[in-house]
Amino acid sequence: MKFDSSAAFNEKRYEAIRSREVAGGDAFFYAVVTTGVYCRPGCGSRTPNRENVLFFDTPQHAEQQGYRPCRKCRPELKRGSEVHEKIIVKACRRLEQDEAYPMLETLAREAGLSPTYFHRLFKKIVGITPRQYYLKQRTDRLRRKLVDGDDVGTAIYSAGFSSLSGAYNQNEDRLAMTPKKFQQGGDDEQIWYGFSSCYLGIVLVAATDRGICAVELGDSEEQVYSHLHNQFPKAEIKPGDPDFEQLIKAVVDHIDNPSQKFDLPLDIQGTSFQQKVWKALCTIKPGNTSTYSVIAEKIGKPAAVRAVAGACAANKIAVLIPCHRILTKDKKISGYRWGRGRKRLILKKEKQ
Ligand SMILES: [Zn+2]
């Protein structure tokens, strides 16, 4: 491209600097006379005043005039050059291994670039943002671990899921697919389970590779296991290995201390209506109660009170999805799948 150095053209280039437009690519470079530094358009540094800016066609031209390359946008490196690629590939390797998302600032510092420029360069070379790349890796990691035969509880822990809401958001796409699977009774699904006991009796915790899919309460291991089997008649149900204990312990700890936040992902398999109801139940805080009609209103279906009651009754994840916090309009304890006596005990504990 040949450059027209007319004033109008330079105004356009200055506009590109101001808007931090990267589309211009290596179309031109600009130097700031007050700092002695030259940049490429898209650089994250402060926009210089128009009167201090000079334009150059190539980095060489800028350097011949005595300007130094900016440390943030590295204009001396050819865009998409090997050096840039190496920097980004290194960041990718790091994102693939990290348990938690490192701050953008940290990644950029390690790459020797400004956060803004690093972010843009990453997106340009990889096609997605560093955070998106990290999230994708985390999901792939979980899948790989499960293929390798790692226990599901360990896999969920070590794949770095950090919050219930995070898991919901992350799983939105997949949740849209689950109703069908649910209808089929967990066809082709692998489910791991284990038992423990707590003040409510025997607890069974079951999980798929996506998260906890059932928490059953009962008087004996046989009883809770048959509940699980009835819920997922077509799934391949197998005992979790010793690491699964971690997951069970987290559930029991939460049952014992309901005010503590529960951070592990739930695999809430149900129709989208049921999922809406269950998510609404999760917004009732421990110690509080609600009614079917309030939940019906909350999900924007005030007339669907009966259907809401049905969805509550279909909840497979005792305590973690707190359907026990639903009372009758006159604040009486209504039916509970795991027994009214247990419902009373849970509510009493949550009041403490
Ligand atoms: Zn710069």
Side-chain angles (χ1 to χ4, degrees):
M1 184 173 173
K2 273 272 155 260
F3 285 105
D4 170 2
S5 55
S6 73
F9 193 77
N10 280 342
E11 284 323 302
K12 252 190 197 162
R13 303 212 272 201
Y14 183 68
E15 228 2 86
I17 298 170
R18 241 168 41 129
S19 63
R20 303 213 150 85
E21 200 182 293
V22 187
D26 287 339
F28 69 92
F29 298 84
Y30 68 94
V32 184
V33 295
T34 45
T35 60
V37 165
Y38 75 95
C39 288
R40 64 168 93 239
C43 177
S45 51
R46 208 164 65 86
T47 308
N49 289 333
R50 174 67 188 88
E51 65 270 22
N52 296 329
V53 174
L54 290 178
F55 297 99
F56 297 97
D57 293 351
T58 66
Q60 291 72 32
H61 288 154
E63 286 182 28
Q64 278 160 17
Q65 299 294 315
Y67 292 100
R68 286 172 287 113
C70 166
R71 304 276 294 271
K72 288 181 184 166
C73 63
R74 311 288 298 271
E76 78 280 22
L77 303 176
K78 205 167 147 30
R79 186 181 293 279
S81 71
E82 244 176 81
V83 183
H84 267 169
E85 269 171 23
K86 266 190 193 147
I87 287 172
I88 297 304
V89 165
K90 207 172 144 209
C92 287
R93 291 294 94 81
R94 166 156 189 182
L95 288 169
E96 285 155 19
Q97 278 151 28
D98 276 13
E99 298 283 303
Y101 180 70
M103 299 295 287
L104 178 64
E105 287 71 21
T106 310
L107 291 169
R109 194 172 51 239
E110 285 172 0
L113 299 170
S114 76
T116 329
Y117 190 73
F118 171 79
H119 194 265
R120 277 198 205 110
L121 185 67
F122 191 99
K123 187 141 186 255
K124 191 170 169 29
I125 291 178
V126 183
I128 51 179
T129 68
R131 184 178 286 278
Q132 285 167 338
Y133 186 82
Y134 164 76
L135 290 173
K136 190 182 170 305
Q137 291 305 316
R138 191 173 71 164
T139 310
D140 290 353
R141 202 152 63 209
L142 179 60
R143 199 169 296 136
R144 266 198 309 276
K145 272 183 175 286
L146 289 160
V147 170
D148 291 348
D150 211 335
D151 163 80
V152 68
T154 316
I156 290 169
Y157 267 105
S158 56
F161 283 101
S162 63
S163 80
L164 179 55
S165 58
Y168 276 146
N169 295 341
Q170 255 238 301
N171 290 344
E172 216 104 282
D173 290 345
R174 195 176 43 225
L175 286 176
M177 288 166 22
T178 44
K180 193 166 167 234
K181 222 173 201 176
F182 171 70
Q183 302 289 351
Q184 294 166 341
D187 213 355
D188 296 331
E189 187 99 75
Q190 286 194 316
I191 294 175
W192 292 264
Y193 74 96
F195 305 106
S196 185
S197 59
C198 70
Y199 77 100
L200 297 167
I202 300 294
V203 188
L204 175 147
V205 177
T208 63
D209 58 0
R210 297 179 295 273
I212 294 168
C213 63
V215 173
E216 291 284 351
L217 302 169
D219 299 323
S220 69
E221 295 190 350
E222 292 73 32
Q223 188 195 8
V224 288
Y225 180 81
S226 73
H227 282 167
L228 177 70
H229 183 73
N230 293 340
Q231 288 302 324
F232 302 96
K234 291 181 186 167
E236 187 189 335
I237 298 177
K238 46 194 183 183
D241 72 9
D243 288 331
F244 198 76
E245 295 294 326
Q246 253 189 118
L247 192 66
I248 300 171
K249 188 177 175 304
V251 173
V252 172
D253 283 352
H254 181 76
I255 293 175
D256 285 337
N257 302 290
S259 57
Q260 260 173 28
K261 220 171 139 245
F262 189 81
D263 272 348
L264 294 170
L266 305 181
D267 181 5
I268 49 170
Q269 302 191 9
T271 63
S272 74
F273 180 85
Q274 287 173 329
Q275 289 178 10
K276 268 185 204 141
V277 172
W278 297 337
K279 284 182 193 180
L281 291 174
C282 289
T283 65
I284 313 168
K285 297 269 177 300
N288 294 344
T289 57
S290 190
T291 63
Y292 294 138
S293 43
V294 170
I295 296 293
E297 262 169 46
K298 206 171 217 169
I299 63 166
K301 298 242 172 356
V305 179
R306 259 166 191 274
V308 166
C312 291
N315 174 26
K316 292 185 284 297
I317 307 181
V319 188
L320 303 185
I321 295 181
C323 59
H324 59 270
R325 291 181 197 145
I326 298 293
L327 299 180
T328 62
K329 274 196 179 127
D330 45 357
K331 296 259 173 191
K332 291 220 169 69
I333 289 186
S334 48
Y336 188 52
R337 182 155 154 193
W338 296 282
R340 276 178 202 228
R342 286 200 179 89
K343 184 166 177 174
R344 189 170 293 119
L345 285 172
I346 302 169
L347 290 170
K348 199 175 143 202
K349 194 171 203 53
E350 291 186 349
K351 278 253 153 71
Q352 284 167 3

